[in-house]
Amino acid sequence: MRTVFLCSLLLVAMVAGAQRECASTQYRTEQRVRNKTFQQQTAAIESFIQKHLPASTTNGTAKMPTGIIRIPIVVHILESGSSTISDDRVRDQIAALNRDFRKRNADTSKIPDHFKRLAADIEIEFALATADPKGRATTGIIRKKTDVKQWDLDDKIKFASSGGSNAWDPKSYLNIWVGPMSRVLGYASEPGGPLEEDGVVINPSAFGTKGATAPFNLGRTATHEVGHWLGLIHIWGDEYCGDDLISDTPPQTIYTAGCPSGVRLGCDNDPGGTMYMNYMDFANDACMNLFTIGQKNRMRSLFAGGGFRESLIYSKGLNAPWSTETDTPEEEEEKEENVKQPAPPVMTASTKVYPNPVFNELVLQVDASWIGHELQLLNMNGLIIQRIRITTREQKIALGTLLKGVYFLKAQNADQRINEKIMKL
């Protein structure tokens, strides 16, 4: 089985009309080239999910979150030329997400009788952020003029240095980027990927319901991609009669295109047939209408104690603003860019940082020339959170009390520098 979470939806002109197709393999391959620890991190998260599903909690120690989970969203709109996305259209997309995730979409009436008992209210809601990472008032919408006419699957849209817009702290916000892409409707990061690339990218043609292009004009590209962001796999398991790791979604041969009807059998999925109306299939927006109970449990398991998305429960992004700093978001991006996109480390052959990713204690191995110099540990926002004096050639750095996330280790001597990205697990 393959656990493919990351999906991009390609808009392909065909005789029968437009359909969704997946370019996940290309995207995943590129991510693994950029991040050598990706497979290890995603395997650990999958193990966590399996231990925290309801069927695995008989020992009473694994606690699933209860009640409504509210997630702050920041929408980065990349504007080229005169094209733009209105604030009203952004709010319209958030409303569509909430309808689908709370099972308040009017088309639940179209769910086949065989599947109605499985349709779930995910009890997750989304709202535009009211406070930015510095505590300043925000609409949750960032607009940035750019010379880039078209984006690709290389994540350049997520970095100011390449004409895009830097992510806000993904431990506190769901980042959604909106920008034109050739044939691509959208793609999402998988839990466990690089935090600075964490979030969802949507083509304006499939964003919201006002101004989007049929048949992907009900905001459900975002519903599908946020499902991936919360750990869901395509319903066919990304292979012929594959496994999506969900017990209540019937097996199916491959993705479903267009707007089918009736019972479609395959992979011994009698009597109900294929659940082509599931948000994690490829049907047109008008023919999608449900998540299942099993998908709900999988998504919500990420918010359990120690889960990859747990920190979002404690985000201050929906609080009243508490700071009056006056930097604009664009100025803040420029100030933080050196931290979010650090220069490649310049290190001697004898300098080594391990283990990375790290749980509790990091070891910096240096030569004698570094002794006496200051070492700085910075968070993703560029704030120095630790200053350490190097006193030995194997300097130990305690990180056990830090929140999970990305940090940067920096030091400078007469002719060398250390500039290392650290993943805290």
Side-chain angles (χ1 to χ4, degrees):
M1 102 186 36
R2 299 184 313 178
T3 54
V4 180
F5 296 73
L6 299 169
C7 173
S8 62
L9 308 175
L10 305 186
L11 190 62
V12 181
M14 300 186 70
V15 174
Q19 73 172 40
R20 307 182 198 257
E21 290 190 4
C22 185
S24 297
T25 301
Q26 175 188 350
Y27 187 88
R28 281 172 60 85
T29 299
E30 292 175 357
Q31 258 210 339
R32 275 161 168 68
V33 170
R34 297 198 303 266
N35 181 7
K36 302 301 183 183
T37 63
F38 183 70
Q39 189 166 354
Q40 175 188 350
Q41 293 161 4
T42 54
I45 290 171
E46 183 58 38
S47 177
F48 180 93
I49 290 172
Q50 294 303 319
K51 290 177 181 178
H52 287 74
L53 293 176
S56 305
T57 59
T58 55
N59 60 10
T61 60
K63 294 184 178 180
M64 288 280 283
T66 59
I68 307 301
I69 296 171
R70 299 189 75 228
I71 298 177
I73 287 181
V74 54
V75 178
H76 307 258
I77 300 174
L78 284 303
E79 299 178 335
S80 176
S82 59
S83 63
T84 188
I85 299 287
S86 69
D87 288 4
D88 185 53
R89 188 168 166 186
V90 173
R91 289 188 289 267
D92 173 67
Q93 175 62 84
I94 305 304
L97 274 174
N98 285 325
R99 285 194 298 271
D100 290 346
F101 273 79
R102 291 303 315 277
K103 196 187 168 187
R104 292 173 177 168
N105 49 305
D107 51 2
T108 55
S109 61
K110 299 179 182 179
I111 300 173
D113 290 342
H114 186 77
F115 295 135
K116 281 183 178 178
R117 62 184 177 82
L118 300 176
D121 173 0
I122 308 304
E123 296 185 279
I124 293 177
E125 295 180 355
F126 306 88
L128 289 169
T130 53
D132 75 3
K134 298 292 188 182
R136 299 166 299 193
T138 180
T139 62
I141 302 171
I142 298 296
R143 298 181 180 278
K144 183 172 180 181
K145 293 290 184 182
T146 179
D147 293 331
V148 179
K149 304 297 183 185
Q150 189 169 279
W151 303 96
D152 208 335
L153 300 177
D154 53 13
D155 284 336
K156 289 183 178 180
I157 195 172
K158 301 175 182 179
F159 296 96
S161 62
S162 52
S165 179
N166 289 337
W168 286 9
D169 181 4
K171 288 295 184 180
S172 296
Y173 303 87
L174 164 54
N175 288 268
I176 296 179
W177 289 268
V178 183
M181 293 179 282
S182 173
R183 300 184 302 157
V184 178
L185 295 184
Y187 67 94
S189 64
E190 173 180 1
L195 288 182
E196 61 270 31
E197 298 171 3
D198 188 83
V200 169
V201 182
I202 305 291
N203 195 317
S205 68
F207 186 76
T209 68
K210 301 176 180 179
T213 303
F216 308 114
N217 59 340
L218 297 181
R220 283 171 171 165
T221 293
T223 300
H224 180 105
E225 299 303 342
V226 172
H228 282 306
W229 181 77
L230 289 172
L232 295 187
I233 306 168
H234 290 138
I235 195 169
W236 68 96
D238 289 291
E239 62 181 17
Y240 188 84
C241 294
D243 183 2
D244 67 350
L245 306 180
I246 306 294
S247 61
D248 60 3
T249 56
Q252 65 184 62
T253 55
I254 196 64
Y255 65 84
T256 307
C259 197
S261 61
V263 176
R264 296 167 62 116
L265 299 177
C267 305
D268 299 321
N269 60 15
D270 292 345
T274 297
M275 192 184 281
Y276 51 76
M277 68 294 306
N278 192 282
Y279 292 126
M280 301 314 295
D281 203 341
F282 276 7
N284 295 349
D285 277 16
C287 297
M288 293 177 157
N289 51 39
L290 84 147
F291 286 119
T292 69
I293 296 169
Q295 289 173 320
K296 171 181 179 174
N297 291 336
R298 182 175 178 87
M299 287 189 277
R300 290 179 65 88
S301 70
L302 292 171
F303 296 89
F308 189 80
R309 301 292 184 199
E310 181 197 14
S311 62
L312 286 161
I313 295 175
Y314 309 104
S315 171
K316 297 181 180 179
L318 298 178
N319 288 4
W322 63 90
S323 173
T324 58
E325 289 185 35
T326 57
D327 282 349
T328 66
E330 291 78 11
E331 291 170 338
E332 191 65 32
E333 260 188 4
E334 291 176 3
K335 288 166 60 178
E336 294 179 357
E337 182 54 28
N338 289 333
V339 176
K340 297 197 182 244
Q341 285 280 75
V346 178
M347 307 172 75
T348 64
S350 60
T351 302
K352 184 178 180 181
V353 176
Y354 65 91
N356 191 11
V358 58
F359 282 100
N360 294 312
E361 186 175 76
L362 192 71
V363 177
L364 172 66
Q365 187 180 78
V366 296
D367 60 39
S369 68
W370 285 99
I371 293 177
H373 288 272
E374 182 182 84
L375 191 65
Q376 296 178 351
L377 185 69
L378 299 86
N379 65 14
M380 265 189 72
N381 292 322
L383 300 177
I384 298 173
I385 57 176
Q386 280 192 43
R387 296 178 186 270
I388 305 105
R389 185 66 57 184
I390 300 175
T391 59
T392 176
R393 294 180 63 175
E394 288 198 353
Q395 184 73 39
K396 295 181 179 180
I397 305 165
L399 302 179
T401 61
L402 295 182
L403 295 175
K404 297 176 184 179
V406 174
Y407 297 86
F408 299 95
L409 199 62
K410 293 190 174 187
Q412 181 83 44
N413 66 15
D415 55 3
Q416 304 169 52
R417 87 173 171 271
I418 297 171
N419 191 351
E420 185 80 357
K421 183 168 73 173
I422 307 299
M423 175 66 72
K424 171 65 171 64
L425 299 178

